Structure formats: structure tokens, C-alpha cells
Amino acid sequence: MTDRHLTEEEIAIYAEAFKSGAKKKVPKHIRNHVKECNRCAEEVVAVEQAISQLDENNSSRSKSRKLTAVFWVPVAAGVTLLIGIGGYLLFYNQPDTSPVESREPVAAVDTISSGEKKPAADTFKMQDQKQETEKQEAREPSEVSSPSLQDKNLLAEAYKPHPALENLSSRFEKGEMRGSRFEIEVDNLIKVNARDTIVLRWKNPAEKELSLEVLDNQGNKVEEKTTTKETVRLKDDFDKGLYYWKLVDSDFNLLFCGKLRVE
Amino acid sequence: MQNISSDTKEADELVAIDEVAAIATNVVKGFEIRKAIPSREKDDMVQEVIRKYLEKKTRINKAYKGDANPKTYLTAIFYRMCCEIIRSGHKSWDHIKKEDPGKYMVDLLSSSGSDNQFIIRNEAEYLKKILSLFDDEKTKIILFLKFFFGLEIHSSDLKAYSRNYKKAGLDRLLHTIPKTNQQTFEILVKVVNKHENSDVKQDAVRIWLYKRIDQIIERLNGSMNRANYDRKTFQLLFEYIYAGEDG
Ligand SMILES: [Zn+2]
């Protein structure tokens, strides 16, 4: 390890490479220093998180004021949730608590936070309810609650697209995020019956370690696997509904995000 | 922002001043989320960071070589400024008091409640990032920790560590179940020496692994009371990620 800490620019270089999954491009002496130095490692992670957040903010701002306004709510709610259940473990993992739609093709994508839409904190609920109400009003203005309609609504809920994941998967569908040229051998939208066996396929000749995550339409992780193979068989007991699946490599690069409709 | 007269980018500016403010706000927000500063101090902190930036601007610009994006560069500069401000003493805030952090961690990591699961998943992602920063040692650390903690080792773990793992007999060695800590390191030193064609001593492997464990724990805990892991709770988190793999 060099006896001086990294300069701010060296931290920035590593953070950028870490975010884009191009760590290997970082000069060896910088990587070696970070391996040994806790302080610089902490800075790299913090700066990587901050620039990811900045990207999210910019992207959200350019899309609409409304989105910008809601942005920090889940983050703040996430913290409230933590304090509520123990008040001690304080982490800073913004990518997990923020919308995913503005991620770069090879961004350091973590899992979509399953807590993002968790109804444990009131703020989440309020936010979700607001968005849901808006969408409901747009789509189903005449529906009022009655027992039979409630059942239908429940099922409709299970197929309601998750805005951020929907956006992400559509970017892969349009080829906007195939920078890594990862080859997937199934359709972007897979339709299956609830009792069907679901097998996902891709090309992985180098046998890289890949993480597969399946998320429901609330963003909750329902299945997770690590594999070096080219196929994965999913569990058999998916409830009816809309799901998303993501493939991430060991450097946190998001390789693919597809949809799964269980009917 | 107050005290800022212009929002245009001057010739010698790396980043337009309105963007400087956005970057400062974003960095400070990160400290607020981690509870390294109380929310009420957030705006003051942003102002302080911008004041420091304006004061040191010439030096900051001069030190910039152009290898990183200027916004990322400023983010790194502002991160350090915030650390300085927090550590400088005149901003010493009480962190959240913990009654029994060790017990809390064990309870948290052993529980299956959905709220706790949310936290654990975030922690797991944070740990994966930390492991990634060990760069070319990452696969070795994961493999050795799996063995050390008695987790099942898959061929993918072995392959990630050594292409010739079969030929070198590493799979046979690492599928042995050691009865004592001593045996664990006897096996690990054989693995190292076979793979690296070296002649290191058992102590060296033990010292290396314990050093990495302590580093990981320190990084999980962070310099500003991010969390409070010890070896036991780190093991629980590690197992959460790596025990359930089915390769
Ligand atoms: Zn350092």
C-alpha cells in the first residue's frame, strides 16, 4: 500500500469505475491501496453511492417535477423504518432505496430494494396509495368497491406494473441497455401458467458467477439464486401476477431485466 | 443558494456554481441519511461546504488532472470536507444511543421478520460492495471464509479461485471437514501453497484471513457509527448471503 491516502481524483476515478462495472480499468496502485485502506474504501463506496444518487436526481428532474418531489420520500421513509425497528443499524445504501429507471447500462446495480414498496412505514403507504389512486383514476374511473370487484381488484393489483422495473425492463427490450451484449435466450416478457415450470436461459460460456433475482410487482424479492450456468429453473409456486427478473454479475453489473407474467 | 452571485460557468470553473450547490446538497444528504449529521444541520453543512469550496476553489481546480468526471471529483472533495467538518469538533453530535448493539445485531440477523429482512438485504448488498473492493482477492476471501465458517463450497467458488482446482486437488482439500481451528488453517495453507506454488507458513494464512475479517468488519461499521458488527454478527451476515447458494 502506498503510504499516502488516495487523492480525491483517484477516489473519483475508482468510484466511477465501480459504478460502471469497469473496475479493471482503475490503475493497479489505486486498487491495491483501496484493498488495504479502510478509509479510502469507505470513500469510494460513499462517492459511488453519491454519484449514482446524483444521476438519479438529474434524471428524475429532467423527467418531471413530480418525480423529483417524490424521490427523497422513500429514502427518508427507509430511515424511519430502521429507526422504528431498532434504531441502531444505520446504513447508507441509496441505490437500494431509489428508483432504478435511470441506471446506466453497466451501472453498479444492487438489488431493487424490496423495502422500497414495503408498507411498513406510513410514508411508503401514502406515497404508494397516492400513485395507485392516480393510476386507478386514470384507468378505472367508474370502479367502486364492492365484494366482487374487490377480488378483481386484488388480481389486477398483482399485474400492476412496477414503474421503475417496468421502465428498466423496457429499456432492455428496446436495446437501450445492452451495452454489455449479454445474450438472453428467452423473451423479454415470458407468459406462463401458475403451475408451469419456468426455466430462464442465457449465454454464459465463461461461466461467470451470476446472481438472479426475481421480484414481484411491488419490488419485493421473491427468489434469489447464484449460478455459473446458463439456465436456472425457478421455484414452482409463483402466485398469479407480474414479476421481474434481473441478472447481475459479481461486479454488480446489471446484465438483464425481463418480465414474467404468471397467469 | 445564498451568497452565490452567479449561476453561470466561468472559464476557470470545473462545474457551474448551481451544479456545485446540487453536488454539495447531494453529498450532505448522504451524511444525513447515515445519521452522521442531524437533519436540522443539513442546510448549514451545505453552506459550509460551498463556503469552503469557494475559499479553496483555485487549489481544487489546480489539483484536478482531468482523469475523472469533474462532478465526481467535486463529490469526492465535498465528501472529505464533510468528514472534516464533522470531525472538527465544533460539530460533535450525539449519535443514536444503542442499548445493546451486539444483541440487536444477533436478533436482527437471526430473525425472519419482513422488516428486518429489508435491512438485512441492504446490508448484504453493502457487504458485497465491500468484498468487491478487495479486487483480485475477492474470490479467495469468499472461498476461505466459506471454508472457515463451515459453509458448503461449490465448484463455482473453486473455479473462481483456481482454474486448475481439480488438478491441484483443491476440491478434495476443501471438502474435508476440519475438527479444529488448527486443522482449518492446516488445510487452507495447503490450498494456498498448491495454488500459488508457494511455501507460506500456516501462521501467515491465519494472519491474512483474520486481518481481512477485521477489515471487512471495520468497513461494515464505517468511520461514523454506520453499524456495529463484530465477528459473530459478521459471520451471520456472510452466511445470509453465501449459505443459501445452490450454484
Ligand atoms: Zn487511504
Side-chain angles (χ1 to χ4, degrees):
Chain A
M1 180 168 76
T2 49
D3 49 5
R4 62 158 180 89
H5 284 297
L6 298 179
T7 64
E8 287 94 339
E9 190 160 9
E10 286 169 329
I11 296 284
I13 289 168
Y14 205 150
E16 279 173 3
F18 198 27
K19 176 171 171 276
S20 66
K23 249 179 0 170
K24 294 278 180 283
K25 287 184 186 161
V26 178
K28 190 79 181 154
H29 75 275
I30 298 181
R31 283 189 275 150
N32 282 345
H33 180 87
V34 169
K35 225 156 72 172
E36 303 303 329
C37 176
N38 295 345
R39 184 186 128 171
C40 288
E42 186 176 9
E43 287 188 23
V44 169
V45 177
V47 171
E48 184 267 328
Q49 287 176 324
I51 57 174
S52 299
Q53 191 65 74
L54 207 57
D55 277 359
E56 302 279 2
N57 293 356
N58 289 340
S59 151
S60 307
R61 202 176 299 129
S62 65
K63 278 184 185 161
S64 73
R65 286 184 67 81
K66 190 176 147 209
L67 209 68
T68 311
V70 306
F71 180 71
W72 284 110
V73 174
V75 175
V79 173
T80 312
L81 172 68
L82 298 189
I83 294 163
I85 69 165
Y88 144 71
L89 184 70
L90 302 166
F91 57 79
Y92 173 46
N93 213 345
Q94 290 176 339
D96 284 326
T97 48
S98 48
V100 237
E101 67 247 21
S102 64
R103 288 250 174 244
E104 294 301 316
V106 285
V109 171
D110 301 329
T111 53
I112 305 294
S113 164
S114 55
E116 190 183 340
K117 296 290 175 189
K118 208 172 273 299
D122 288 347
T123 337
F124 281 131
K125 264 192 206 161
M126 286 166 63
Q127 193 55 54
D128 289 352
Q129 280 166 357
K130 188 171 160 245
Q131 286 173 341
E132 281 163 20
T133 313
E134 281 167 6
K135 277 187 216 142
Q136 292 278 338
E137 279 169 3
R139 266 194 321 227
E140 308 159 326
S142 62
E143 277 191 7
V144 287
S145 60
S146 69
S148 59
L149 278 175
Q150 267 178 3
D151 286 347
K152 276 190 192 168
N153 281 348
L154 270 178
L155 199 57
E157 281 291 290
Y159 291 108
K160 192 188 291 176
H162 182 286
L165 288 169
E166 192 64 24
N167 203 327
L168 191 67
S169 70
S170 80
R171 288 178 72 178
F172 276 99
E173 193 172 3
K174 288 181 209 151
E176 288 174 18
M177 295 192 52
R178 296 258 182 157
S180 59
R181 290 191 189 167
F182 198 80
E183 229 180 295
I184 299 291
E185 296 193 317
V186 290
D187 294 337
N188 284 69
L189 172 62
I190 304 169
K191 284 186 188 174
V192 290
N193 290 320
R195 289 179 306 276
D196 287 351
T197 298
I198 308 161
V199 179
L200 303 174
R201 294 173 198 283
W202 48 78
K203 288 260 184 246
N204 185 18
E207 300 185 6
K208 286 184 181 167
E209 186 179 297
L210 305 171
S211 294
L212 172 80
E213 291 161 6
V214 184
L215 303 117
D216 66 15
N217 70 333
Q218 300 292 304
N220 299 314
K221 204 184 288 179
V222 292
E223 187 164 7
E224 185 174 22
K225 286 186 176 214
T226 307
T227 182
T228 52
K229 296 173 186 152
E230 296 190 320
T231 59
V232 156
R233 182 188 157 154
L234 300 183
K235 60 177 187 161
D236 306 322
D237 57 345
F238 279 104
D239 293 330
K240 288 181 181 181
L242 179 63
Y243 299 85
Y244 300 85
W245 64 281
K246 298 199 311 170
L247 207 58
V248 181
D249 72 13
S250 58
D251 285 324
F252 304 103
N253 298 315
L254 176 64
L255 303 173
F256 187 73
C257 177
K259 288 198 283 183
L260 181 64
R261 193 181 160 93
V262 182
E263 292 173 336
Chain B
M1 283 297 155
Q2 296 164 20
N3 309 326
I4 294 166
S5 54
S6 161
D7 61 357
T8 54
K9 189 174 164 182
E10 292 167 20
D12 66 332
E13 304 272 15
L14 288 177
V15 173
I17 196 71
D18 55 339
E19 287 191 278
V20 169
I23 294 166
T25 306
N26 185 52
V27 171
V28 171
K29 189 92 200 172
F31 281 87
E32 185 200 1
I33 288 167
R34 276 174 293 167
K35 294 279 163 197
I37 61 162
S39 299
R40 64 175 186 278
E41 298 286 343
K42 189 181 65 186
D43 293 341
D44 284 356
M45 181 87 133
V46 172
Q47 289 299 321
E48 178 71 359
V49 167
I50 294 174
R51 191 192 62 73
K52 274 177 173 260
Y53 165 73
L54 294 173
E55 193 183 291
K56 298 179 177 176
K57 197 170 72 177
T58 313
R59 201 146 53 85
I60 291 170
N61 291 359
K62 219 172 163 182
Y64 177 61
K65 291 180 184 158
D67 293 330
N69 180 315
K71 289 183 194 172
T72 315
Y73 173 60
L74 277 197
T75 299
I77 299 258
F78 291 171
Y79 180 87
R80 278 195 183 162
M81 282 179 179
C82 287
C83 290
E84 249 172 58
I85 295 168
I86 291 169
R87 289 181 184 127
S88 65
H90 71 278
K91 300 266 185 201
S92 61
W93 298 292
D94 275 349
H95 294 298
I96 290 170
K97 296 282 182 288
K98 296 134 195 179
E99 287 175 11
D100 186 351
K103 182 178 179 305
Y104 172 71
M105 291 298 295
V106 174
D107 290 349
L108 173 75
L109 291 162
S110 316
S111 96
S112 56
S114 58
D115 291 348
N116 287 356
Q117 287 294 312
F118 162 55
I119 299 177
I120 296 166
R121 276 194 291 266
N122 278 292
E123 286 301 289
E125 293 311 317
Y126 198 84
L127 175 56
K128 284 184 189 172
K129 284 192 183 195
I130 288 173
L131 291 171
S132 241
L133 291 183
F134 286 105
D135 200 35
D136 52 0
E137 274 185 32
K138 177 189 149 187
T139 51
K140 181 177 174 185
I141 293 172
I142 292 173
L143 176 68
F144 282 31
L145 284 177
K146 275 187 157 189
F147 185 72
F148 183 64
F149 292 145
L151 305 184
E152 192 185 344
I153 289 171
H154 303 289
S155 53
S156 55
D157 301 316
L158 291 158
K159 203 176 284 178
Y161 175 64
S162 166
R163 284 265 154 218
N164 303 320
Y165 73 93
K166 273 191 183 152
K167 208 171 149 195
L170 304 188
D171 49 347
R172 189 182 44 77
L173 277 171
L174 289 168
H175 285 120
T176 319
I177 297 168
K179 291 191 181 69
T180 60
N181 214 22
Q182 165 99 4
Q183 279 180 8
T184 300
F185 285 104
E186 277 169 14
I187 293 168
L188 288 178
V189 78
K190 281 182 195 161
V191 170
V192 168
N193 285 334
K194 275 184 189 291
H195 173 59
E196 295 170 14
N197 200 15
S198 55
D199 186 25
V200 297
K201 298 281 174 287
Q202 196 176 310
D203 258 5
V205 178
R206 189 178 47 79
I207 290 166
W208 170 80
L209 190 63
Y210 283 173
K211 184 184 159 197
R212 288 298 185 231
I213 289 174
D214 288 344
Q215 268 187 303
I216 293 167
I217 291 169
E218 206 175 320
R219 290 178 187 197
L220 278 169
N221 291 338
S223 58
M224 290 183 200
N225 274 4
R226 186 189 162 275
N228 202 348
Y229 286 87
D230 56 18
R231 284 195 179 178
K232 185 177 174 187
T233 44
F234 159 62
Q235 181 177 349
L236 287 173
L237 182 63
F238 186 87
E239 286 172 353
Y240 172 82
I241 302 175
Y242 296 103
E245 285 185 343
D246 59 3

